[in-house]
Amino acid sequence: MLRCSFRRLLTYPVAGQTRKMSGASLAGSQGSLSGKVAIVTASTEGIGLATARALGQRGAHVVVSSRRQNNVDRAVELLQREKIQVTGTTCNVGKSEDRERLVNMTVEQCGGVDILVSNAAVNPFFGNIMDSTEAVWDKILDVNVKSAFLITKLVVPHMEKRGGGSVVFVSSVAGYQPIQALGPYSVSKTALLGLTRALAPELAQCNIRVNCVAPGIIKTSFSQALWQNEDILGEFKKQLSIKRLGEPEEIGGVVAFLCSKDASYITGETITATGGMSCRL
């Protein structure tokens, strides 16, 4: 990577700056990522699907994936109905053979890779951190952190062939402020903040930008254990300036911005989208 020579700044066409997206393409965003190919992991529901939609609405060919074929089929059908260029495949990012197959299939069928959004995450544990086991830590760090780096390593050579690219990691507000009962998960999300900072200067030499998004409490099935509990939700709302849960589309729009020309001078940064919840390490 250090052998890469400096190239001109990444010149993605300008993306629309719409905060919330609907099923149809929005004015100002059409074609802004035309010709780009985007891999989004864990992208058949929630933030991942909203991100794939936001990138697709801007003209990118999106490659969606999930561990289950029926989820992939449903997401592909949904996005195709919205006139989005989409390819889908199963992928468990925790398995090296699946990561390699995902990237190889994307290159073979779509011609290359310009954008990687690493969204896949697991949380098999809920409770006091001192009760967590080695197996829990292995699972969380393997999927949430190590696989994010390893799939980045796979796509970098293909991005170099295209003249550059953009990598976005999906972290969490928990990476800044650990959430009670989600200790190991919170630590894994903090690690993504560090991974972003570590990769950015090295990959900048290859004209690849690396950034991160840290969502707050977003209304998805992944976070329903938090927002379905009225007591827990009430405590979170006390910390918010915007007194509601976030929607997946509000994170998808932030990711799409980071992949666009509008963010061409941004790398090594984490954008927090938390409704005003205080975030600091």
Side-chain angles (χ1 to χ4, degrees), residues 63 124 129-130 142-143 177 233 243:
V63 179
I129 190 170
M130 291 301 294
D142 276 354
V143 174
Q177 183 63 45
L233 180 59
K243 301 296 183 180

Side-chain angles (χ1 to χ4, degrees), residues 23-268:
S25 296
L26 299 177
S29 66
Q30 294 182 3
S32 66
L33 291 175
S34 180
K36 305 301 179 183
V37 177
I39 294 174
V40 185
T41 63
S43 44
T44 59
E45 63 178 3
I47 290 173
L49 179 59
T51 295
R53 175 181 286 118
L55 295 171
Q57 286 171 337
R58 289 160 171 79
H61 186 139
V62 293
V63 179
V64 299
S65 63
S66 170
R67 289 177 295 175
R68 296 179 177 84
Q69 185 66 54
N70 62 325
N71 292 343
V72 173
D73 294 341
R74 185 170 60 248
V76 167
E77 181 181 1
L78 173 64
L79 295 175
Q80 285 179 337
R81 287 202 304 266
E82 298 174 9
K83 309 303 181 184
I84 288 172
Q85 298 179 81
V86 57
T87 300
T89 185
T90 56
C91 179
N92 180 342
V93 297
K95 296 181 178 180
S96 61
E97 60 270 25
D98 279 22
R99 294 191 298 267
E100 291 172 4
R101 183 169 51 81
L102 172 62
V103 174
N104 290 338
M105 184 213 70
T106 300
V107 172
E108 290 168 5
Q109 295 191 20
C110 306
V113 184
D114 303 284
I115 295 165
L116 169 65
V117 181
S118 179
N119 175 63
V122 296
N123 180 44
F125 177 80
F126 191 86
N128 294 327
I129 190 170
M130 291 301 294
D131 293 330
S132 60
T133 65
E134 183 175 2
V136 164
W137 282 94
D138 286 345
K139 178 70 172 179
I140 289 175
L141 294 178
D142 276 354
V143 174
N144 298 8
V145 183
K146 189 167 74 173
S147 72
F149 167 72
L150 292 174
I151 196 168
T152 300
K153 192 171 181 179
L154 287 174
V155 302
V156 162
H158 300 291
M159 289 183 175
E160 286 187 76
K161 292 177 183 177
R162 307 268 280 191
S166 178
V167 175
V168 179
F169 299 119
V170 179
S171 179
S172 168
V173 65
Y176 287 92
Q177 183 63 45
I179 295 175
Q180 187 175 6
L182 298 179
Y185 172 83
S186 299
V187 171
S188 75
K189 292 301 184 175
T190 304
L192 290 178
L193 309 181
L195 182 60
T196 300
R197 296 298 297 272
L199 283 174
E202 192 165 319
L203 294 185
Q205 300 175 68
C206 309
N207 202 26
I208 297 170
R209 296 182 298 106
V210 184
N211 291 293
C212 188
V213 175
I217 308 303
I218 308 301
K219 195 170 185 179
T220 67
S221 59
F222 187 83
S223 64
Q224 65 184 0
L226 300 177
W227 55 263
Q228 284 186 342
N229 185 307
E230 289 298 328
D231 292 335
I232 295 176
L233 180 59
E235 287 302 312
F236 275 121
K237 283 186 175 180
K238 291 177 183 178
Q239 303 176 54
L240 300 176
S241 299
I242 301 174
K243 301 296 183 180
R244 63 170 175 82
L245 296 176
E247 296 291 338
E249 292 78 10
E250 294 174 301
I251 307 304
V254 175
V255 175
F257 159 72
L258 285 173
C259 297
S260 74
K261 183 183 176 182
D262 288 349
S264 61
Y265 201 50
I266 300 175
T267 195

